[in-house]
Amino acid sequence: QVQLVESGGGSVQAGGSLKLSCAASGYSFGSCGMGWYRQAPGTERDLVSTISRYGTTTYADSVKGRFTISQDNAKTTLYLQMNSLKSEDTAVYYCAATCPYVSGGVPKYWGQGTQVTVSS
């Protein structure tokens, strides 16, 4: 059974930092691309950042230079370090896996999400 479980969300003031984690199990995630998405109330779910099975990373323009995506060596945990947080970063953040990895592919597996609230 594939599971993606996010943690690390919370409330923080603007300018602060949070680090999200996503524990992955039930699949050989070494063959997958992983990513973080977010959804604010009343909006669609947007791509925040991805990391391919080869380690190549991408970022939405709105988070470039502030967020960093990474994985542990076993590729069982995905991270998102978020610095210089802004109120517009407030959203539910979801971990997702595209398995097997295809560039630009639609994620097959999703976590339940973790709330990030940034107050100004």
Side-chain angles (χ1 to χ4, degrees):
Q1 180 181 359
V2 176
Q3 280 193 313
L4 300 175
V5 181
E6 302 97 336
S7 62
S11 297
V12 65
Q13 289 192 328
S17 298
L18 283 173
K19 186 173 185 176
L20 305 183
S21 299
C22 172
S25 62
Y27 196 89
S28 179
F29 286 96
S31 64
C32 303
M34 304 292 291
W36 290 97
Y37 292 71
R38 67 186 182 186
Q39 186 169 21
T43 70
E44 295 185 350
R45 191 173 297 186
D46 291 328
L47 176 64
V48 175
S49 181
T50 65
I51 184 165
S52 77
R53 61 175 297 185
Y54 309 110
T56 304
T57 60
T58 69
Y59 296 92
D61 287 343
S62 59
V63 306
K64 279 181 182 176
R66 299 188 298 121
F67 290 11
T68 303
I69 191 170
S70 63
Q71 282 180 300
D72 67 340
N73 288 337
K75 296 191 177 182
T76 57
T77 307
L78 181 71
Y79 302 100
L80 185 68
Q81 176 67 48
M82 305 186 295
N83 298 328
S84 302
L85 283 161
K86 305 175 181 180
S87 57
E88 51 262 45
D89 295 318
T90 295
V92 177
Y93 284 71
Y94 297 91
C95 171
T98 303
C99 306
Y101 170 70
V102 174
S103 179
V106 176
K108 183 174 182 179
Y109 302 109
W110 292 88
Q112 293 300 305
T114 186
Q115 176 71 46
V116 171
T117 302
V118 184
S119 57
S120 56

